[in-house]
Amino acid sequence: MSVGILGIGRYVPDRVLTNFDLEKMMDTSDEWIRTRTGIEERRIADDNTDTSDMAYHASVEALEDAGLSAEDIDLIIVATVTPDMAFPSVACLIQDRLGAKRAAAMDLGAACAGFMYGMIVAQQFIENKVYKNILVVGSEKLSKITNWEDRSTAVLFGDGAGAVVMGPVSEGKGILSFELGADGSGAKDLYQDGPYIAMNGREVFKFAVRQMGESAVNVINKAGLTKDDIDLLIPHQANIRIMEASRERLGLEEDKLYKTVHKYGNTSSSSIPLALYDARKEGKMKDGDVVVLVGFGGGLTWGAVALRWGK
Ligand code: UT7
C-alpha cells in the first residue's frame, strides 16, 4: 500500500517581527542576521495563542483540504518541543477541539526533525492497515522558550504550525523511501534545560550540513532514483547556508531548493509542513513530481523522505 499526503493546512501568527525590530531590542543587525542565516522576518504568536491553538487552526485547514471530517481521523500525532503544558499532550487538546472522537492522540519529541518522525510513524500504521487516516502536525511557539537577551539564538526562531492528513494514495505515489536517525551524543549541542533554548551553533551547523546532504542522498538511493529525478528539495528551514550546502551536495539547480526561512525563520517541527504548504500554493509541486523532505534537530535527530507528489 502506498501512503501519502491527502491534505495540508497551516497557521502563522499575524504579528511580524523583522530584523529591524530586533535591532532595537538587542545588539544585532539586519545585515548580520540576513547574511549568516537568510532570515529577514519571523512570526510571533500573541499571549492568547499557544501551540495547541496554532495546531488546531492548521489541522482544520488540512482536514478541509483532504475533504475529510475530524471523525475520519484514527490517530493524531503532534510533533512539538513547546507544548502548552507538560501534559496532557497538544494532540489530546486538539483531539477534543476538533471533535476527532475516534482518534488516538500523542505528542512526539524529536525536536526540529519531529515532523519527519511523525510522518514515518504515521506511514507504518497506514501501511499495515491498522489505521487509515492520520493527522500529523508540527506546531511550535518557540517565542516562549526564546531568551530575548541572547542574540546568538533569539534572532533565529519563529512561531507557526503546519499539518498534513496522511492516508492511502494510488500505487507509486506518496512516500517512496525514508531515513530516520539519531545521535544522542550530541544532546549537549542543542537543548532546553531550564526556561530557554541553549545551542552550540557551530557544532549544530557542521552536523546539519553533513547530515542533511547525506540523508537526502540516502533516500534518493533507497527509492531507486538519482539526483536528476529530484524536482524539489524542501529542507528544514533553519539557515540558508545549511540549506544551500545540501542543495550543492545534491548538485541541484538553485530553483529546486524551496525556501521559507526568510519569512518565518526557524519554526522547528513546523518548518517542513509550512514550507510544503507554501510550495504547493505557489504551484512548485506538480502531480508526479519527486519531492525530498529532510530535517535535523536537537537530539541530535534527523529524518528524510522521498515523496512522489499526488494522490
Ligand atoms: O533547528 C536547528 C537549530 N539550529 C541551527 O540550525 C543552528 C545552526 N547554526 C547556525 O545557524 C549558525 O551557527 C548561527 C547562525 C547560529 C551562527 O552563525 P556563525 O556563522 O556560526 O556565527 P558564530 O556563532 O561563529 O558567531 C560569529 C560572531 C561572533 O562574534 P565574534 O566572537 O566573532 O566577535 C558572535 O558573537 O557573530 C556574533 N554574533 C552576532 N552578531 C550580531 C552572534 N549572534 C549575533 C547576532 N548579531 N545576532
Side-chain angles (χ1 to χ4, degrees):
M1 155 153 351
S2 301
V3 179
I5 292 173
L6 307 178
I8 323 180
R10 66 132 210 204
Y11 177 86
V12 288
D14 291 336
R15 183 177 166 214
V16 175
L17 184 71
T18 67
N19 292 349
F20 299 104
D21 296 329
L22 287 169
E23 282 182 355
K24 293 177 206 135
M25 296 162 61
M26 61 191 76
D27 180 18
T28 189
S29 66
D30 170 61
E31 209 265 331
W32 191 95
I33 302 170
R34 252 186 314 106
T35 52
R36 300 285 176 128
T37 72
I39 301 167
E40 292 166 22
E41 56 186 47
R42 68 288 289 141
R43 301 300 180 96
I44 303 291
D46 62 30
D47 291 346
N48 300 320
T49 306
D50 211 337
T51 298
S52 69
D53 301 303
M54 296 189 282
Y56 167 76
H57 293 302
S59 301
V60 168
E61 190 181 3
L63 283 168
E64 201 177 288
D65 188 44
L68 293 173
S69 80
E71 295 204 21
D72 294 321
I73 298 298
D74 300 297
L75 171 66
I76 299 173
I77 301 173
V78 178
T80 187
V81 295
T82 51
D84 297 31
M85 51 193 122
F87 66 91
S89 62
V90 173
C92 281
L93 299 178
I94 66 168
Q95 187 247 19
D96 178 50
R97 202 161 156 193
L98 291 167
K101 293 195 180 69
R102 295 195 314 106
M106 65 169 173
D107 285 1
L108 183 154
C112 303
F115 184 78
M116 302 311 302
Y117 269 74
M119 273 186 84
I120 297 311
V121 171
Q123 182 201 12
Q124 309 314 305
F125 279 113
I126 300 164
E127 208 167 73
N128 289 306
K129 300 191 167 70
V130 176
Y131 293 137
K132 190 168 173 219
N133 300 310
I134 301 184
L135 180 63
V136 183
V137 188
S139 185
E140 303 286 6
K141 188 176 181 182
L142 291 168
S143 59
K144 68 182 176 184
I145 59 165
T146 297
N147 181 356
W148 296 102
E149 312 266 287
D150 172 14
R151 67 175 185 173
S152 70
T153 54
V155 303
L156 304 175
F157 302 108
D159 301 335
V164 298
V165 178
M166 294 184 60
V169 292
S170 44
E171 182 84 43
K173 296 274 177 70
I175 295 175
L176 305 174
S177 62
F178 74 87
E179 170 172 293
L180 294 178
D183 175 8
S185 72
K188 62 189 181 315
D189 292 329
L190 183 50
Y191 61 93
Q192 185 200 350
D193 180 20
Y196 303 126
I197 301 170
M199 180 171 75
N200 181 346
R202 282 192 190 167
E203 282 309 309
V204 177
F205 191 96
K206 281 190 278 182
F207 153 73
V209 166
R210 190 183 65 245
Q211 197 56 54
M212 296 249 280
E214 219 170 276
S215 296
V217 170
N218 290 345
V219 289
I220 281 299
N221 290 341
K222 280 187 195 171
L225 299 170
T226 71
K227 296 170 188 174
D228 297 336
D229 296 312
I230 303 175
D231 295 297
L232 197 66
L233 173 67
I234 303 186
H236 171 44
Q237 308 279 320
N239 183 316
I240 194 69
R241 292 184 290 146
I242 298 172
M243 294 159 58
E244 284 291 354
S246 346
R247 180 184 68 77
E248 277 166 28
R249 169 83 190 270
L250 288 166
L252 296 182
E253 297 89 332
E254 264 179 52
D255 65 342
K256 290 193 173 172
L257 173 66
Y258 192 70
K259 303 168 222 167
T260 59
V261 69
H262 57 288
K263 56 180 174 177
Y264 301 139
N266 180 350
T267 56
S268 190
S269 67
S270 316
S271 96
I272 290 176
L274 272 177
L276 203 54
Y277 180 96
D278 284 6
R280 187 191 59 175
K281 195 168 166 201
E282 289 167 20
K284 299 275 182 195
M285 298 184 296
K286 294 184 301 297
D287 200 56
D289 274 0
V290 173
V291 181
V292 172
L293 311 178
V294 53
F296 68 93
L300 300 167
T301 53
W302 61 91
V305 156
L307 195 69
R308 193 176 292 281
W309 189 248
K311 299 184 201 173

